[in-house]
Amino acid sequence: MKGRITAAILVASLGLSACVPLVVVGGIAVGAWIGSDPRKTVMIKDDADLSANISAKIIDRWKELAHVNVDTFNGAVLLVGELPTAAAQQEATAIAKSFPKTRKVYNETVIAPPSSAMDRLNDSQLTARVKSAVMLQVPDGASVHVQIVTERKVVYLLGLATPQIADQIANIAASVSGVAQVVKLIEPSLVATP
């Protein structure tokens, strides 16, 4: 049974983009999250709304000239993707900060033309492989509260974990073939590891 569930998660996660927050497969949540989500339901909704609102403003502002994914955890906003100029990067940060529920902004965008559909598919597959590796190698999945986002072969880790678990996840992610870099944006968790 456990093998079938793991296989279902792996197959389902291969088709997910890095910006999909959550999908339920056979009663198990998969998507951008690894482990459990410690946020209250209202915070999850606030974060999803914040991501959607920031994304809509960025799309309205640059249309096809940019490709920016917006992910949020506890009001910490991660912007990844491509923008046309340094001024656009600054403006994207200002857009994200303009919302009252934004606590901090990590602008990891690059100045470049929008990535291709093939590049995005490769990033989605890389995210799925990193998620699979973390699920298989971290002994206490309940202590992992991390969202994995991949853009341009760079894996971003966003969420909560103890420093020990954060380092373990980062090392696992770095060991996955095709990962160019790992960026830890994990805030310390008070959860003790066994």
Side-chain angles (χ1 to χ4, degrees):
M1 175 72 173
K2 185 177 179 182
R4 282 189 277 186
I5 290 172
T6 301
I9 290 170
L10 295 175
V11 170
S13 64
L14 287 175
L16 297 175
S17 101
C19 62
V20 173
L22 205 59
V23 172
V24 176
V25 176
I28 296 176
V30 296
W33 277 99
I34 294 295
S36 60
D37 192 336
R39 298 173 295 171
K40 294 181 188 270
T41 304
V42 68
M43 177 57 84
I44 293 170
K45 183 184 179 321
D46 287 349
D47 284 346
D49 291 346
L50 183 57
S51 290
N53 291 332
I54 293 168
S55 184
K57 276 192 126 177
I58 289 173
I59 289 168
D60 285 346
R61 174 65 179 94
W62 288 285
K63 302 193 181 4
E64 70 279 346
L65 297 176
H67 161 253
V68 177
N69 288 324
V70 181
D71 293 278
T72 306
F73 178 82
N74 274 354
V77 176
L78 170 62
L79 306 174
V80 297
E82 301 83 27
L83 283 161
T85 64
Q89 284 180 306
Q90 292 174 349
E91 190 176 343
T93 297
I95 287 170
K97 286 181 176 179
S98 73
F99 290 88
K101 296 206 175 181
T102 299
R103 192 169 47 86
K104 66 172 76 169
V105 177
Y106 301 108
N107 188 338
E108 298 287 332
T109 59
V110 297
I111 301 167
S115 58
S116 70
M118 184 57 74
D119 289 335
R120 294 176 201 177
L121 176 61
N122 289 336
D123 284 339
S124 293
Q125 291 174 342
L126 194 52
T127 295
R129 292 192 356 245
V130 170
K131 286 190 277 187
S132 297
V134 171
M135 285 190 300
L136 293 172
Q137 295 179 45
V138 174
D140 180 20
S143 64
V144 179
H145 316 293
V146 176
Q147 186 173 8
I148 297 174
V149 178
T150 306
E151 186 70 35
R152 303 172 74 86
K153 298 182 184 177
V154 176
V155 174
Y156 299 90
L157 306 173
L158 180 68
L160 286 175
T162 64
Q164 177 186 3
I165 294 290
D167 289 344
Q168 184 178 14
I169 295 167
N171 289 334
I172 292 167
S175 73
V176 173
S177 176
V179 172
Q181 181 183 358
V182 176
V183 177
K184 283 193 307 185
L185 305 173
I186 299 174
E187 297 180 292
S189 166
L190 300 177
V191 177
T193 55

